[in-house]
């Protein structure tokens, strides 16, 4: 389920496996967009989680784009 995907993503992030966490987070975000649409709280949470992981990876410009996307929704 999507909830499980978010939990796995959080666990991977906590373990420091940011590349795998990012992959899982992007997969969850894509599913949220498809299932719930852009303005849904689950989609917004996925956007934020992806932005945080990108920031953890030092990809600040990419992270900022996701944070702005969440803000504009």
């Amino acid at each position: 389920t999507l909830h499980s995907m978010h939990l796995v993503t959080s666990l991977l992030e906590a373990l420091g496996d940011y590349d795998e966490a990012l992959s899982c987070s992007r997969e969850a975000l894509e599913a949220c967009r498809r299932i719930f649409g852009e303005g849904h709280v689950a989609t917004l949470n996925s956007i934020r989680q992806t932005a945080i992981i990108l920031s953890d990876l030092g990809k600040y410009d990419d992270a900022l784009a996701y944070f702005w996307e969440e803000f504009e929704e």
Side-chain angles (χ1 to χ4, degrees), residues 6-52:
H6 285 290
L7 293 175
V8 169
T9 299
S10 294
L11 180 59
L12 289 166
E13 186 178 9
L15 290 170
D17 191 351
Y18 299 114
D19 290 323
E20 190 63 30
L22 180 59
S23 176
C24 192
S25 181
R26 285 182 166 158
E27 186 177 336
L29 175 55
E30 182 180 311
C32 283
R33 284 182 167 144
R34 187 178 61 252
I35 294 167
F36 301 117
E38 289 298 324
H40 193 275
V41 68
T43 304
L44 297 174
N45 287 337
S46 288
I47 292 169
R48 183 181 319 113
Q49 186 174 35
T50 302
I52 291 168

Side-chain angles (χ1 to χ4, degrees), residues 16-22 51-60:
D17 191 351
Y18 299 114
D19 290 323
E20 190 63 30
L22 180 59
I52 291 168
I53 296 167
L54 286 164
S55 180
D56 290 341
L57 285 166
K59 298 179 179 183
Y60 302 115

